């Protein structure tokens, strides 16, 4: 392009995303004041790198501090295996995910550095030794012991999932330091259309690394169109531990980009790619059964349609590189600003060059056969549930957040979730917007599609705003090919500082009694 297209937020952003998200409380400072930085440099504008691959067999995750350098300052982070992003785990339905977790954190950061592991998106049992969010791995060399042997059920949907710690009280700061990673449930190649099998895949783990909470502002440095960082006191949104990586494609080539919002903050990503449509085929690790095309601007002043991700969300998009009539052209992947005091931020650059590589996108008919979930008829009369995410000393315990007026406590009776029951939920909030997340089973809800009309979608995390409660339909489906999903798990706000402050509620799955 001769000129950068003028980009603006499209009015179709789903889940009423323009409302304010509440800022989480501050966390421990992690800056090391050193005149001569010696940490590992965070790559800036370097070729795009995939996260490490975990490999086959038992996966080793070692939680330990590591020093990285950005803008000539050293920062000490909590990491998986000494990297700013954890290794990518791959598994297939019917297999067992074996993870050996060692916690080498200590009182260097805080007095209580417990951790654990949550596989966000797996339809797994919450019973030990599986995806138990209440498990604890002690610091100072504590190991997972019998954890984690997670039986991925035969009815697990394939797609883009992720993992992160979930120890209550430490979740936000550990995720904010980079303890996140991709978890891909592999497709059966025989079930994929050829166009998808031919498309090279890229994993994008978006992270808002916390480095300085002293300013009391959203912990992100915006990078403007000129490439200048507005603030050097915090690190901008990273992709796989890189700042503004550079991807390369050939004209006509199709790639599958797996977007993961591996950030536990209140920031919302509004993603557009200059000159390119974002052809969305999956949400929160589930094939939609169609192709939603979020259109790129075609002329100056025209708005582009954004793919919207809140904390915990995933989106798989197909990109077809556009020829531009030159030997080489560059396009920016941009996070659109949502407030008057923000600017659009460049997250990555796509360079299109080389010989033409004609490829095709899958058809809607191709994608229909891949749909992950069977829709629940809304005309049914299922059991009903309500949940209200709440902040404020007038409704929660002083200094805490809560659900339904109750600050999370392990001793509180859990909400019953009978296996096999279909439930209709109404989720609301008394103040601010919150990404609502529930473990084990996803839910059916609606959003505005690219054409502005309501669209039925399946998610495991949805933004709830004060003026628009969200209706959800949940099928408490059994875990097939694995032990029953009996046990206690949780629902919570995925602004993880809110979860740590008590905006969480226990849920209990009960198998039908045998007569």
């Amino acid at each position: 392009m001769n000129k950068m297209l003028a980009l603006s937020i499209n009015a179709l952003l789903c889940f009423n995303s323009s409302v304010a998200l509440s800022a989480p409380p501050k966390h421990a400072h992690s800056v090391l004041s050193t005149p001569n930085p010696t940490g590992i440099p965070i790559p800036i504008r370097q070729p795009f790198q995939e996260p490490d691959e975990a490999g086959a067999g038992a996966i080793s995750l070692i939680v330990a501090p590591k020093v990285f350098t950005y803008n000539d300052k050293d920062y000490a982070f909590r990491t998986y295996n000494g990297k700013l992003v954890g290794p990518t785990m791959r598994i297939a339905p019917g297999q067992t995910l074996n993870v050996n977790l060692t916690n080498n954190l200590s009182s260097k950061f805080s007095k209580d550095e417990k951790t654990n592991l949550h596989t966000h998106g797996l339809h797994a049992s919450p019973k030990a030794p599986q995806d138990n969010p209440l498990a604890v791995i002690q610091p100072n060399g504590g190991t997972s012991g019998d954890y984690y042997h997670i039986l991925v059920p035969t009815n697990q949907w394939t797609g883009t999932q992720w993992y992160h710690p979930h120890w209550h009280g430490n979740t936000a700061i550990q995720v904010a330091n980079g303890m996140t990673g991709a978890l891909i449930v592999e497709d059966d190649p025989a079930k994929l259309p050829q166009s998808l099998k031919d498309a090279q895949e890229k994993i994008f783990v978006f992270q808002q690394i916390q480095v300085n909470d002293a300013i009391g502002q959203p912990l992100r440095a915006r990078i403007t169109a000129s490439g200048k960082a507005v603030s050097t006191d915090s690190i901008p949104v990273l992709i796989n531990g890189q700042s503004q990586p550079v991807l390369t494609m050939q004209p006509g080539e199709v790639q599958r980009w797996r977007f993961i919002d591996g950030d536990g903050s209140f920031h919302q990503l509004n993603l557009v790619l200059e000159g390119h449509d974002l052809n969305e085929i999956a949400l929160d690790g589930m094939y939609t059964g169609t192709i939603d095309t979020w259109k790129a601007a075609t002329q100056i002043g025209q708005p582009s349609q954004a793919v919207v991700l809140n904390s915990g969300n995933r989106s798989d998009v197909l990109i077809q590189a556009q020829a531009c009539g030159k030997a080489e052209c560059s396009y920016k992947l941009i996070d659109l600003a949502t407030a008057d005091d923000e600017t659009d931020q460049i997250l990555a650059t796509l360079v299109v060059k080389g010989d033409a590589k004609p490829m095709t996108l899958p058809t809607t008919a191709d994608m229909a056969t891949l749909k992950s979930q069977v829709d629940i008829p809304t005309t049914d009369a299922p059991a009903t549930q309500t949940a209200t995410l709440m902040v404020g000393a007038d409704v929660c315990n002083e200094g805490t957040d809560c659900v339904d007026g109750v600050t999370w406590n392990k001793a509180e009776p859990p909400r019953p979730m009978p296996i096999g029951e279909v439930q209709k939920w109404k989720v609301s909030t008394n103040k601010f917007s919150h990404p609502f997340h529930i473990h084990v089973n996803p839910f059916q809800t609606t959003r505005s599609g690219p054409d502005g009309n309501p669209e039925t979608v399946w998610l495991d995390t949805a933004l709830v705003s004060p003026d628009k409660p969200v209706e959800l339909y949940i099928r408490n489906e059994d875990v097939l090919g694995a032990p029953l999903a009996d046990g206690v798990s949780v629902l919570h706000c995925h602004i993880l500082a809110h979860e740590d402050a008590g905006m969480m509620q226990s849920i209990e799955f009960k198998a039908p009694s045998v007569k």
Side-chain angles (χ1 to χ4, degrees):
M1 293 184 297
N2 294 328
K3 296 181 179 180
M4 178 177 291
L5 293 174
L7 300 168
S8 62
I9 300 174
N10 187 273
L12 301 180
L13 294 183
C14 61
F15 302 122
N16 195 20
S17 58
S18 62
V19 294
L21 293 163
S22 60
K26 299 175 182 179
H27 297 297
H29 207 275
S30 58
V31 180
L32 300 180
S33 299
T34 53
N36 298 304
T38 59
I40 299 172
I42 293 177
I44 302 175
R45 291 183 289 277
Q46 297 300 308
F48 180 91
Q49 295 179 1
E50 295 274 353
D52 291 345
E53 288 283 336
I59 297 167
S60 176
L61 282 185
I62 299 176
V63 181
K66 194 75 172 181
V67 177
F68 291 85
T69 301
Y70 185 80
N71 277 349
D72 296 326
K73 293 181 181 178
D74 279 346
Y75 301 94
F77 299 131
R78 302 154 176 85
T79 68
Y80 287 132
N81 298 353
K83 299 293 182 70
L84 273 176
V85 64
T88 298
M89 302 180 187
R90 296 183 184 273
I91 196 72
Q95 295 181 344
T96 300
L97 182 68
N98 296 298
V99 181
N100 298 320
L101 181 62
T102 301
N103 184 3
N104 285 338
L105 295 176
S106 69
S107 56
K108 176 179 180 179
F109 285 105
S110 69
K111 294 180 180 179
D112 179 9
E113 279 292 351
K114 299 182 180 74
T115 193
N116 61 14
L117 184 70
H118 169 49
T119 55
H120 187 131
L122 285 192
H123 180 52
S125 170
K127 294 179 69 173
Q130 303 193 64
D131 194 354
N132 179 0
L134 307 181
V136 55
I137 312 301
Q138 298 287 348
N140 303 312
T143 59
S144 55
D146 287 337
Y147 291 93
Y148 287 89
H149 307 293
I150 301 174
L151 299 174
V152 181
T154 55
N155 59 337
Q156 169 71 49
W157 43 94
T158 59
T160 305
Q161 318 303 345
W162 65 300
Y163 64 90
H164 60 83
H166 211 293
W167 176 252
H168 185 69
N170 291 343
T171 307
I173 186 59
Q174 291 180 359
V175 170
N177 268 203
M179 287 173 60
T180 58
L183 171 57
I184 307 301
V185 182
E186 299 278 33
D187 288 298
D188 179 352
K191 297 181 180 179
L192 291 180
Q194 190 62 43
S195 52
L196 271 188
K197 288 191 282 190
D198 291 341
Q200 184 181 9
E201 296 185 0
K202 300 285 192 209
I203 293 173
F204 291 66
V205 180
F206 296 101
Q207 301 165 287
Q208 177 56 68
I209 301 294
Q210 175 175 326
V211 298
N212 190 340
D213 58 13
I215 57 175
Q217 298 294 323
L219 300 170
R220 63 192 268 103
R222 310 289 300 187
I223 293 185
T224 64
S226 66
K228 179 181 178 182
V230 174
S231 169
T232 58
D233 287 329
S234 61
I235 293 175
V237 173
L238 301 181
I239 299 174
N240 304 338
Q242 293 180 273
S243 177
Q244 301 184 79
V246 180
L247 301 100
T248 303
M249 294 177 67
Q250 297 170 246
E253 180 182 359
V254 174
Q255 289 188 359
R256 177 179 181 169
W257 291 3
R258 296 180 182 262
F259 291 157
I260 300 171
D261 191 337
D263 172 25
S265 79
F266 54 91
H267 177 69
Q268 183 183 78
L269 291 170
N270 300 281
L271 303 175
V272 297
L273 178 61
E274 290 179 330
H276 290 76
D277 296 340
L278 300 179
N279 300 290
E280 190 173 53
I281 60 171
L283 290 167
D284 284 4
M286 292 169 280
Y287 286 113
T288 59
T290 188
I291 301 178
D292 280 324
T293 299
W294 301 93
K295 301 294 292 184
T298 57
Q299 59 186 7
I300 294 175
Q302 182 187 40
S304 285
Q305 293 180 317
V307 166
V308 179
L309 300 178
N310 287 286
S311 172
N313 284 142
R314 287 88 70 210
S315 173
D316 287 29
V317 299
L318 299 177
I319 307 294
Q320 184 160 37
Q322 300 300 303
C324 65
K326 297 181 181 179
E328 179 178 314
C329 291
S330 295
Y331 305 91
K332 304 299 183 186
L333 177 66
I334 297 174
D335 175 20
L336 296 177
T338 58
D340 293 339
D341 60 348
E342 293 182 340
T343 57
D344 296 345
Q345 180 181 189
I346 297 171
L347 301 183
T349 299
L350 171 63
V351 175
V352 180
K353 64 179 181 180
D355 296 334
K357 188 177 182 180
M359 295 177 67
T360 59
L361 294 168
T363 65
T364 299
D366 289 334
M367 298 310 303
T369 63
L370 296 178
K371 185 175 171 64
S372 297
Q373 302 292 338
V374 177
D375 290 346
I376 299 170
T378 59
T379 54
D380 287 357
T384 59
Q385 299 257 22
T386 61
T388 305
L389 308 180
M390 310 179 84
V391 297
D394 56 329
V395 290
C396 304
N397 295 339
E398 183 69 32
T400 69
D401 299 328
C402 59
V403 178
D404 297 334
V406 179
T407 301
W408 182 80
N409 185 318
K410 189 176 180 180
E412 287 288 334
R415 179 191 296 259
M417 302 286 284
I419 293 175
E421 185 173 85
V422 176
Q423 299 176 344
K424 179 180 179 179
W425 288 52
K426 183 177 181 180
V427 183
S428 58
T429 171
N430 73 323
K431 187 184 295 184
F432 305 114
S433 293
H434 304 273
F436 170 81
H437 172 56
I438 190 166
H439 290 208
V440 182
N441 289 302
F443 49 78
Q444 174 184 310
T445 186
T446 59
R447 71 167 182 180
S448 293
D451 60 2
N453 294 319
E455 176 184 31
T456 298
V457 293
W458 283 81
L459 302 169
D460 61 37
T461 307
L463 190 67
V464 181
S465 60
D467 59 344
K468 188 177 180 182
V470 173
E471 284 192 352
L472 315 174
Y473 289 82
I474 299 177
R475 182 187 295 117
N476 290 327
E477 193 169 24
D478 197 1
V479 176
L480 300 181
L484 292 174
D486 300 35
V488 175
S489 195
V490 292
L491 61 83
H492 59 89
C493 172
H494 217 281
I495 297 174
L496 296 178
H498 291 169
E499 179 255 297
D500 280 344
M503 196 180 292
M504 184 165 78
Q505 186 177 77
S506 296
I507 55 177
E508 184 174 23
F509 294 94
K510 286 278 192 179
S513 57
V514 178
K515 296 182 179 180

